[in-house]
């Protein structure tokens, strides 16, 4: 009881330190979960999602599994990236708005207040599923002389590692998930208000299973 009160006060205090619209995530729970071999055995894509929102703790843990920092002394992450450029940025479309995951601050930084879930893909479920991830390559984090073809190939690979971490986290937590390449890049970039330096690579939907 005392611990819950303390955690609530810490959460309320951290909210006061950020923009009211940003979402300060609770401390990540880095323990437990399903054994790896079982999670691999359970991994699969689903295309049916309850509209029920994911708890903040789930968002924190999922985003850390996806792209969190696991070696703070070197600012390195749960996924590898070519030459450690870390050019992928993880964006999140929720009912309450559109956000960028800032791993160092364990924060969802609000980009704007629009609900752009329907713009994240061509399949019906994207508009009502609670959580759509958008993986974006930010070319301004790369050396200027880099070959564009090489850059995009490595960015697809780098995003793929994040996708698989999310699949495994969802398998462990009994959540439904699907990675998606079927979206209109121009429409989505416009809805995101994305600068020209940023290229959308993949999207991924997560939610609770539908209970009949
Ligand atoms: C790069 C990539 C893009 C995909 N795009 C979509 C998509 O737009 N929509 C969708 O429903 N599934 C998409 N999928 C999911 C595949 O259809 C799915 O992984 C495949 O059918 C195998 O099923 P499994 O994931 O359950 O093993 C994509 C998968 C990958 C790897």
């Amino acid at each position: 009881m005392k611990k819950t009160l303390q955690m609530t006060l810490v959460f309320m205090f951290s909210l006061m330190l950020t923009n009211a619209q940003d979402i300060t995530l609770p401390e990540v729970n880095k323990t437990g979960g399903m054994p790896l071999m079982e999670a691999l055995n359970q991994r699969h894509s689903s295309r049916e999602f309850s509209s029920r929102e994911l708890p903040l703790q789930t968002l924190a843990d999922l985003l850390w599994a996806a792209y969190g920092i696991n070696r703070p002394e070197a600012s390195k992450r749960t996924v590898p990236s070519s030459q450690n450029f870390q050019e992928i940025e993880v964006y999140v479309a929720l009912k309450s708005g559109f956000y960028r995951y800032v791993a160092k601050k364990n924060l969802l930084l609000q980009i704007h207040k629009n609900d752009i879930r329907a713009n994240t893909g061509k399949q019906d479920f994207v508009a009502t599923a609670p959580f759509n991830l958008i993986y974006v390559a930010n070319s301004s984090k790369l050396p200027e002389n880099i070959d564009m073809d090489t850059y995009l190939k490595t960015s697809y690979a780098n995003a793929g590692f994040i996708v698989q971490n999310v699949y495994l986290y969802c398998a462990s937590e009994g959540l439904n998930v699907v990675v998606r390449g079927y979206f209109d890049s121009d429409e989505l970039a416009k809805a995101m208000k994305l600068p020209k330096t940023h290229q959308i690579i993949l999207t991924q939907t997560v939610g609770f299973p539908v209970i009949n």
Side-chain angles (χ1 to χ4, degrees):
M1 183 67 189
K2 198 175 158 196
K3 199 174 171 208
T4 312
L5 183 66
Q6 266 175 357
M7 281 170 70
T8 310
L9 286 174
V10 167
F11 180 63
M12 283 169 67
F13 183 64
S14 61
L15 272 184
M16 284 158 58
L17 296 178
T18 56
N19 277 336
Q21 299 89 344
D22 297 342
I23 300 174
T24 302
L25 297 165
E27 191 181 342
V28 177
N29 179 6
K30 297 177 192 162
T31 60
M34 189 181 266
L36 177 63
M37 295 304 266
E38 281 176 43
L40 285 165
N41 199 35
Q42 298 285 332
R43 188 219 64 86
H44 66 281
S45 299
S46 307
R47 294 172 187 83
E48 282 188 348
F49 300 89
S50 157
S51 59
R52 187 178 141 207
E53 291 191 15
L54 299 179
L56 272 188
Q57 187 66 55
T58 304
L59 293 196
D61 297 351
L62 183 152
L63 286 162
W64 181 81
Y67 204 46
I69 292 172
N70 66 357
R71 287 152 294 161
E73 66 290 353
S75 276
K76 288 192 168 177
R77 299 187 187 257
T78 55
V79 287
S81 66
S82 173
Q83 295 183 67
N84 193 30
F85 286 143
Q86 301 192 14
E87 83 284 6
I88 300 293
E89 293 180 346
V90 175
Y91 291 82
V92 176
L94 303 177
K95 192 176 181 182
S96 58
F98 175 60
Y99 306 82
R100 181 165 62 81
Y101 174 52
V102 184
K104 268 186 191 158
K105 294 185 177 171
N106 195 28
L107 178 83
L108 283 173
L109 181 82
Q110 190 169 62
I111 309 293
H112 58 65
K113 288 183 176 162
N114 304 341
D115 178 357
I116 65 160
R117 289 175 297 164
N119 304 106
T120 68
K122 296 278 187 191
Q123 291 161 286
D124 287 347
F125 59 77
V126 303
T128 51
F131 191 71
N132 283 291
L133 293 143
I134 305 150
Y135 304 118
V136 169
N138 176 356
S139 66
S140 65
K141 292 190 178 164
L142 299 165
E144 273 180 20
N145 57 354
I146 200 159
D147 170 68
M148 282 310 277
D149 282 349
T150 311
Y151 147 56
L152 275 180
K153 267 184 224 152
T154 53
S155 291
Y156 273 94
N158 296 338
F161 296 114
I162 305 173
V163 164
Q164 181 71 349
N165 281 9
V166 172
Y167 264 111
L168 293 176
Y169 174 82
C170 290
S172 171
E173 295 301 310
L175 295 167
N176 280 2
V177 54
V178 65
V179 60
R180 297 181 291 102
Y182 185 35
F183 54 82
D184 181 329
S185 266
D186 293 341
E187 178 193 327
L188 180 51
K190 203 170 156 193
M192 292 169 75
K193 303 186 180 170
L194 210 57
K196 292 266 180 269
T197 44
H198 291 50
Q199 176 87 30
I200 302 168
I201 304 292
L202 284 168
T203 59
Q204 193 169 21
T205 304
V206 177
F208 287 106
V210 177
I211 299 164
N212 295 309

